[in-house]
Amino acid sequence: MNVTEYIESGILEEYVLGTLNSQEKREVECLSGIYPEIQQELDALSAGLEQYALTLRHEPPADVKERLLQELDFSPTPEESTPDNPSVRPLHAEPTVRSFPTYRYPWLVAASVGLFLLVFAYFLYSQLQNSQQSIASLRSTNDQLLADIQQLKDQQIRSDQALAVLKNQGMRVIRLDAPNKATRNSVLVYWNSQNGLVNLDIDSLARPSEVNQYQLWAIVDGKPVDAGVFDIGDTTRLIQQPKKFLRADAFAITLERRGGSPTPTLDAMVAIGNVKS
Amino acid sequence: MKRSTPRFSEEVLVGKLRQRDEPAFHTLYDQYAPALYGVILKIVRDEEAANDVLQDSFVKIWRNIPSYDAQKGRLFTWLLNIARNTAIDALRTNHGGQSIQTGSEIVDTIDRHQQTHQPNAETFDLSDKVKKLNPDRQTVIDLVYFHGYTHEEVAEKLNLPLGTVKTRVRSALQELKKLFSR
């Protein structure tokens, strides 16, 4: 390296004036440690500025010193704060001089605080995640329970209705079975002979296709009388028929076209049962 | 002159300052406060503010003296840099960008200072030497050193090419070096 050229480049003047960036500053400090000529030139330039500063001498008011003597801490320091081999110190005051000087290593403090906050934030985040998962699982359990309760309630209502119907006076229960015994169609007819109301309790009956519908018939004096059509729902088991019969010998169910038929199609009979049997 | 103080006693002084020795603080203050105050006054141009800056500077010096390394630089230069940085910071926080003045105004300020101050006998010949400094060069040095301007800012302010500013800064410091070398 050409030391003379380096000295004449003007970088040392910039150094003593404090206009270099931190990287260039380190470069000058490093080189001045290696080349005595550079150190010498730096000292000479600094001395020039010092002398210039001395021309500006002006006696400060006495109370500044008084205030300082009150403010500063004159308690003796422990030995370790004055190391035997002082660390590398740049000619220009370090940024720490300008910033909060209580912390010797502000960046270390800042980094520790930052790390702690990061860890704490992560801890809070994972806590939040756990809580949210618990809430989600509790919610689904709750929904399941509500659905179960609703189902039980519905069943309860149906059972109550059936019981209420059965408790009426003059209630008769007629069992309707498949005429040929080959299929296991089974329907109960709750018929109240006093007020004529007819209720159906479907035990097992195949669901018909969309175009067909079951039709109930009452056999009165040997003649079939239309007692209304009905559908087989998913849950409803007890069906009240709209027509009333004060007299009936038997009840039968046929499969008819949707909407019902004025006369029963006898070969489509699915169940029949006598009142007196 | 202060520079004639033996190197040894400066080392002893720094050692005692590190042990927070009160008499050592008196020595430091009495020896350097007038020079630092002059520099601060030149930067902030207000006695009230200068008093505060001088106090802040000595608080910083007191706290940072353990990190001062005599092998890396001269004590007076170190003290000057603390005072200068504190003053420039104070100026920037108090005035924002308003403190910017033109080069000629600075020269006026310098002249006024030198007329109003009654320099003591010791510094009288020094002031004479500074007057020998080329005024253009002095303006550049004052802007950079006492006002914290970058070379680019000086170039913009004085409406000069950046290369010229750099050359003037270098010549000014070389001139100062020669003026004060014995």
Side-chain angles (χ1 to χ4, degrees):
Chain A
M1 172 183 146
N2 190 329
V3 177
T4 317
E5 230 169 65
Y6 189 76
I7 288 173
E8 283 169 2
S9 71
I11 192 167
L12 300 184
E13 283 82 355
E14 289 202 52
Y15 180 81
V16 296
L17 287 171
T19 53
L20 291 183
N21 65 38
S22 55
Q23 198 194 331
E24 293 168 321
K25 255 162 120 177
R26 277 197 298 277
E27 182 192 306
V28 171
E29 280 155 17
C30 180
L31 288 171
S32 68
I34 301 170
Y35 299 100
E37 304 97 302
I38 294 178
Q39 184 62 58
Q40 217 175 339
E41 176 73 5
L42 279 181
D43 275 345
L45 291 171
S46 302
L49 271 178
E50 286 175 7
Q51 296 303 320
Y52 183 24
L54 278 174
T55 66
L56 305 169
R57 283 170 65 91
H58 192 85
E59 205 61 42
D63 64 314
V64 175
K65 190 177 178 187
E66 291 306 312
R67 275 186 281 161
L68 276 166
L69 289 173
Q70 278 170 18
E71 188 181 344
L72 297 182
D73 177 14
F74 291 108
S75 57
T77 50
E79 268 310 298
E80 60 262 29
S81 67
T82 57
D84 289 336
N85 50 342
S87 57
V88 174
R89 195 201 59 81
L91 179 59
H92 285 280
E94 283 289 288
T96 49
V97 174
R98 293 194 189 189
S99 66
F100 203 42
T102 321
Y103 293 121
R104 264 191 96 183
Y105 301 109
W107 61 270
L108 198 63
V109 174
S112 315
V113 170
L115 191 66
F116 173 75
L117 286 179
L118 210 66
V119 169
F120 188 62
Y122 180 75
F123 169 72
L124 287 181
Y125 178 72
S126 63
Q127 290 286 92
L128 183 67
Q129 290 272 303
N130 285 343
S131 304
Q132 281 178 339
Q133 278 171 3
S134 312
I135 288 173
S137 90
L138 283 174
R139 192 172 282 158
S140 81
T141 312
N142 194 34
D143 287 348
Q144 185 60 47
L145 281 173
L146 280 177
D148 289 351
I149 289 172
Q150 190 57 47
Q151 207 178 343
L152 286 172
K153 267 188 190 164
D154 291 344
Q155 281 180 5
Q156 177 73 36
I157 288 167
R158 283 197 300 276
S159 305
D160 285 351
Q161 283 174 343
L163 261 173
V165 170
L166 287 171
K167 275 179 184 167
N168 284 335
Q169 260 202 334
M171 183 56 66
R172 301 184 64 166
V173 181
I174 303 114
R175 186 180 184 83
L176 276 59
D177 287 312
N180 55 7
K181 311 277 182 197
T183 50
R184 294 195 56 223
N185 298 332
S186 169
V187 176
L188 291 177
V189 172
Y190 304 132
W191 175 49
N192 192 321
S193 55
Q194 288 188 355
N195 62 16
L197 279 174
V198 177
N199 284 282
L200 287 174
D201 187 352
I202 292 136
D203 195 11
S204 76
L205 207 56
R207 181 181 284 227
S209 63
E210 279 299 304
V211 295
N212 293 327
Q213 219 172 7
Y214 287 116
Q215 190 167 9
L216 180 70
W217 304 88
I219 316 297
V220 183
D221 298 333
K223 284 183 183 160
V225 179
D226 172 38
V229 294
F230 62 89
D231 287 305
I232 298 179
D234 286 326
T235 53
T236 52
R237 287 185 62 203
L238 200 65
I239 305 163
Q240 190 171 58
Q241 292 300 106
K243 298 192 175 165
K244 295 180 178 181
F245 299 91
L246 292 175
R247 288 198 300 125
D249 301 326
F251 288 95
I253 295 170
T254 60
L255 188 63
E256 304 290 350
R257 295 192 73 77
R258 179 158 286 276
S261 157
T263 53
T265 313
L266 287 176
D267 51 356
M269 172 102 67
V270 293
I272 187 163
N274 282 322
V275 173
K276 292 207 173 80
S277 64
Chain B
M1 199 51 250
K2 298 300 166 204
R3 293 300 319 153
S4 62
T5 317
R7 187 86 183 156
F8 172 74
S9 81
E10 188 174 294
E11 272 171 37
V12 170
L13 176 67
V14 170
K16 287 192 169 188
L17 288 172
R18 284 181 178 151
Q19 286 161 17
R20 298 196 197 145
D21 180 55
E22 190 169 342
F25 176 77
H26 283 273
T27 308
L28 178 84
Y29 187 90
D30 296 344
Q31 198 166 335
Y32 293 107
L36 300 185
Y37 189 64
V39 168
I40 291 165
L41 210 52
K42 186 176 171 75
I43 296 171
V44 299
R45 301 189 303 278
D46 173 69
E47 292 222 354
E48 196 87 347
N51 295 350
D52 289 343
V53 172
L54 183 67
Q55 189 177 346
D56 286 353
S57 302
F58 270 98
V59 170
K60 286 180 185 175
I61 289 164
W62 191 246
R63 286 185 182 152
N64 289 285
I65 192 76
S67 65
Y68 166 71
D69 176 9
Q71 291 184 326
K72 278 284 170 181
R74 306 151 67 92
L75 178 65
F76 186 24
T77 293
W78 186 74
L79 300 172
L80 270 178
N81 281 325
I82 289 179
R84 189 172 64 101
N85 288 336
T86 309
I88 291 172
D89 280 355
L91 196 65
R92 284 189 183 147
T93 40
N94 288 346
H95 297 263
Q98 291 176 346
S99 69
I100 292 169
Q101 51 174 318
T102 66
S104 59
E105 275 169 354
I106 286 171
V107 177
D108 290 347
T109 318
I110 294 160
D111 290 345
R112 255 186 285 122
H113 264 295
Q114 271 154 16
Q115 281 154 15
T116 52
H117 294 191
Q118 291 302 319
N120 57 35
E122 192 177 42
T123 57
F124 198 73
D125 62 311
L126 289 176
S127 301
D128 278 350
K129 282 185 181 175
V130 169
K131 277 175 187 159
K132 286 185 201 155
L133 193 64
N134 177 319
D136 286 347
R137 290 175 181 172
Q138 191 181 354
T139 302
V140 169
I141 282 289
D142 287 348
L143 281 173
V144 174
Y145 191 65
F146 293 114
H147 295 266
Y149 280 43
T150 63
H151 287 179
E152 286 79 4
E153 284 166 342
V154 175
E156 201 176 317
K157 172 163 289 298
L158 301 182
N159 204 12
L160 288 171
L162 185 60
T164 308
V165 171
K166 287 194 169 177
T167 311
R168 276 192 199 174
V169 166
R170 178 165 154 67
S171 321
L173 270 170
Q174 290 297 334
E175 206 175 335
L176 275 180
K177 188 179 93 179
K178 285 196 192 91
L179 279 175
F180 294 112
S181 64
R182 283 161 215 178

